[in-house]
Amino acid sequence: MADLVIRDADVIDGTGADSYRADVVVDDGRIVSIVREAAAAGCQRPTAVRELDAEGLTLAPGFIDMHAHSDLALLRDPDHSAKAAQGVTLEVLGQDGLSYAPVDDRTLEEVRRAITGWNGYGDELDFGWRSVGEYLDRLDHGFDGAGIAVNAAYLIPQGTVRALAVGWEDRPAKPQELDRMRQLVAEGLEQGAVGLSSGLTYTPGMYAPDSELTELCRVVARYGGYYCPHHRSYGAGALAAYAEMIELTRQAGCPLHLAHATMNFGVNKGRAPDLLTLLDEALAAGADITLDTYPYTPGCTTLVALLPSWASEGGPQEILRRLADDDTAARIRHDLEVTGADGCHGVPVDWDTIEISGVADERLAAHVGRTIQQSARLRGEPPWTTARRLLLDDRLSATILQHVGHEENVRTIMRHRVHTGGSDGVLQGAKPHPRAYGTFPRYLGHYTRELGILSLEECVAHLTGRPAARLRLPDRGLIREGYRADLVLFDAATVAAGSTYDDPRTLPTGVPHVLVDGRFVIEDGRRTDVLAGRAVRRSPM
């Protein structure tokens, strides 16, 4: 007998087609039979070792988080309910150009310090890997050899590659360094990465000129991967930055996936249609473009990311040295508050919009939940003084929420036909962004059921079939016979994000069952001890 039959489910298959009622049979980690209600009339219904009554529930493919920052969390926290409880069965890691492979001993230490605010320092982990393939192998085995909570794919981080081949200096790569970067990208793709990411407002990736990025994208294109840039501006130069990425990938012949595609800050209020016009023109000309967004208005990053790029050259130790020097710190302040630093997307910083969400040093915990302006007022000092002190005392580890988004832009972009869902979820900090725990139920509940921005079938397609197609996964993202049984059962009438800005780690409601590879990781609303996730490697062309 088969392992499981899911009985009387309202199936939404991930294609955008209308839902239908069916019994779905799972065996050995795959969907082996789908018996629609009409076909079952007068026939013997399928049986299995276990039967699950899905009356009143919607059965969908597991959700794919196209922009995740769980690079260490999957290894450090086997439970990983933050994502599993949302119905996420696959996360795409290696985002924003900075992650933990490929590295050498020097680069690994630099990267660990540079993105402590995203992932923690990882003291409890044995960083035994160096190559992309070794990191993916480690994901297969998990923290103690048992696996991970959900599946994970990996993007080669261009900033890490540049740090390894060039360093953290603001200069063009030498010919031999560019050759090394091409080789590192090719090796990572051969070892299973699905593409290349960049963080073009983060050092050292932001120091790469377009010519260098184009060369790396040509390598990505040869292997059938895609380029996923956090581009050079989401603020004053947002449209130009989007256009830059479209032209760069056109020249390289490389598919493009725009990371957390938003239009933020006051200069972009109501300008989402301008972005979509730009995308539609490129798509009509034959470009292969997709994008992801999170269904919230604030952004989330590290406080140090706001600094001008010249202040970040050389890596974390050089940043700290510059901040400690009064004259240099004054220049940084001028760029932030008057000129508009490139790290703050060319817009002069408004300290009222910068909320501290986490710190590494518990002695600084009083800042968490306050804006820089609020903390400064309590201290009786200028906000830059507070921000500078926090950067130095917390060794650049503080994370922030940046309240610079616009609801009308969020709604407009999520309607687009190439849109997918991505949480951009940072799991660090005492008060992380609620998107880390709530993105996918919020799409289903708030934006679909309550606001009607998308139909339920459209929303599921945005979260499943469409991202699976971008990742070129031949057997995931749809409910079809022969496909992997990565599945979620949710109550369309009640599903909702539980996480809020005050209580960001609250789990969602209305998602009683989640299966990874045919095994229950969430059952009756509770996390099981199943670790069925593995690294999902790029499919050969």
Side-chain angles (χ1 to χ4, degrees):
M1 296 180 72
D3 295 331
L4 171 70
V5 58
I6 302 171
R7 184 85 71 200
D8 291 323
D10 292 323
V11 176
I12 297 182
D13 67 5
T15 66
D18 290 344
S19 64
Y20 59 87
R21 196 172 179 84
D23 295 346
V24 176
V25 183
V26 172
D27 190 54
D28 196 23
R30 292 188 180 271
I31 300 167
V32 296
S33 178
I34 302 172
V35 183
R36 296 197 184 214
E37 187 175 43
C43 302
Q44 184 175 356
R45 301 183 71 177
T47 58
V49 172
R50 176 175 178 182
E51 295 188 4
L52 177 64
D53 182 3
E55 181 70 38
L57 296 177
T58 296
L59 177 66
F63 304 135
I64 297 175
D65 189 341
M66 287 295 287
H67 193 102
H69 288 286
S70 303
D71 306 51
L72 299 186
L74 275 167
L75 298 173
R76 189 172 54 229
D77 175 22
D79 181 79
H80 204 50
S81 289
K83 295 301 181 66
Q86 294 184 58
V88 171
T89 59
L90 171 62
E91 299 182 272
V92 185
L93 314 178
Q95 300 287 348
D96 296 331
L98 288 167
S99 189
Y100 305 94
V103 292
D104 57 15
D105 292 350
R106 170 189 61 82
T107 310
L108 176 61
E109 178 60 22
E110 291 168 344
V111 169
R112 287 177 69 184
R113 293 198 177 279
I115 54 176
T116 295
W118 294 355
N119 298 306
Y121 188 67
D123 286 317
E124 67 274 50
L125 294 176
D126 173 16
F127 287 81
W129 67 84
R130 292 297 180 268
S131 70
V132 169
E134 289 169 345
Y135 174 68
L136 296 178
D137 290 343
R138 182 61 179 277
L139 290 174
D140 281 337
H141 292 94
F143 183 78
D144 57 1
I148 51 180
V150 303
N151 298 308
Y154 189 71
L155 294 164
I156 302 163
Q158 170 259 330
T160 301
V161 168
R162 198 172 211 271
L164 185 55
V166 180
W168 297 73
E169 294 78 33
D170 183 2
R171 63 171 176 81
K174 299 173 184 176
Q176 63 270 29
E177 292 169 337
L178 181 55
D179 287 342
R180 177 95 189 282
M181 286 190 280
R182 289 193 193 99
Q183 179 185 1
L184 289 167
V185 171
E187 289 173 352
L189 290 161
E190 289 169 357
Q191 292 164 8
V194 295
L196 177 74
S197 78
S198 282
L200 300 179
T201 64
Y202 301 129
T203 56
M206 69 190 310
Y207 300 139
D210 284 0
S211 57
E212 179 181 308
L213 297 172
T214 302
E215 288 301 309
L216 299 184
C217 283
R218 288 195 171 106
V219 177
V220 175
R222 287 203 303 271
Y223 283 89
Y226 68 94
Y227 181 44
C228 179
H230 164 129
H231 51 271
R232 298 190 194 275
S233 176
Y234 291 82
L239 282 178
Y242 282 114
E244 176 190 8
M245 296 298 102
I246 291 170
E247 176 59 20
L248 185 156
T249 50
R250 185 194 67 79
Q251 292 184 19
C254 183
L256 173 64
H257 181 84
L258 295 166
H260 38 57
T262 59
M263 295 287 286
N264 287 339
F265 301 92
V267 294
N268 288 316
K269 184 177 175 62
R271 298 194 68 193
D274 297 339
L275 168 60
L276 300 188
T277 297
L278 181 67
L279 294 180
D280 286 337
E281 290 173 350
L283 290 164
D288 182 357
I289 302 174
T290 50
L291 57 88
D292 66 68
T293 71
Y294 47 83
Y296 298 85
T297 53
C300 176
T301 187
T302 54
L303 182 59
V304 67
L306 304 184
L307 302 187
S309 57
W310 64 262
S312 299
E313 184 179 2
Q317 292 305 315
E318 285 299 301
I319 299 172
L320 290 167
R321 183 187 63 78
R322 293 185 181 105
L323 285 167
D325 179 77
D326 289 343
D327 290 342
T328 308
R331 288 181 56 204
I332 295 171
R333 177 182 183 176
H334 185 270
D335 277 8
L336 278 169
E337 296 184 345
V338 179
T339 306
D342 46 5
C344 198
H345 307 275
V347 178
V349 68
D350 178 355
W351 295 113
D352 269 323
T353 68
I354 309 301
E355 177 186 352
I356 301 301
S357 59
V359 292
D361 188 336
E362 290 302 318
R363 292 172 296 180
L364 304 170
H367 289 282
V368 174
R370 297 174 181 163
T371 67
I372 293 289
Q373 187 70 263
Q374 288 169 336
S375 276
R377 192 174 296 118
L378 288 171
R379 289 171 169 269
E381 62 189 16
W384 166 244
T385 302
T386 300
R388 179 190 178 193
R389 190 195 315 274
L390 185 55
L391 286 164
L392 287 167
D393 291 349
D394 206 37
R395 307 291 293 177
L396 313 181
S397 297
T399 52
I400 61 171
L401 301 187
Q402 201 167 4
H403 295 271
V404 292
H406 306 285
E407 179 65 21
E408 66 270 35
N409 286 348
V410 171
R411 296 185 188 189
T412 298
I413 294 170
M414 74 170 62
R415 292 188 181 101
H416 198 271
R417 65 187 185 280
V418 301
H419 170 266
T420 68
S423 71
D424 196 10
V426 172
L427 300 170
Q428 287 295 115
K431 294 186 71 175
H433 196 304
R435 67 193 185 192
Y437 285 74
T439 286
F440 295 87
R442 183 169 169 83
Y443 267 121
L444 295 166
H446 182 62
Y447 284 98
T448 296
R449 182 182 64 246
E450 295 175 4
L451 298 181
I453 302 299
L454 299 166
S455 72
L456 190 57
E457 290 85 355
E458 287 174 326
C459 184
V460 168
H462 286 219
L463 307 181
T464 61
R466 190 174 296 167
R470 164 52 73 219
L471 294 167
R472 297 180 64 245
L473 302 178
D475 58 357
R476 300 177 194 268
L478 302 176
I479 295 183
R480 286 184 178 169
E481 292 179 359
Y483 273 52
R484 292 278 184 182
D486 294 343
L487 302 168
V488 56
L489 285 136
F490 63 90
D491 184 344
T494 64
V495 61
S499 58
T500 65
Y501 293 101
D502 289 333
D503 295 299
R505 297 185 188 275
T506 305
L507 297 179
T509 57
V511 187
H513 304 293
V514 181
L515 293 87
V516 174
D517 203 33
R519 301 168 64 192
F520 285 88
V521 297
I522 300 291
E523 186 173 8
D524 295 324
R526 296 181 179 87
R527 178 72 172 93
T528 70
D529 60 0
V530 168
L531 296 171
R534 297 294 184 269
V536 174
R537 292 164 171 81
R538 181 187 58 84
S539 298
M541 294 182 67

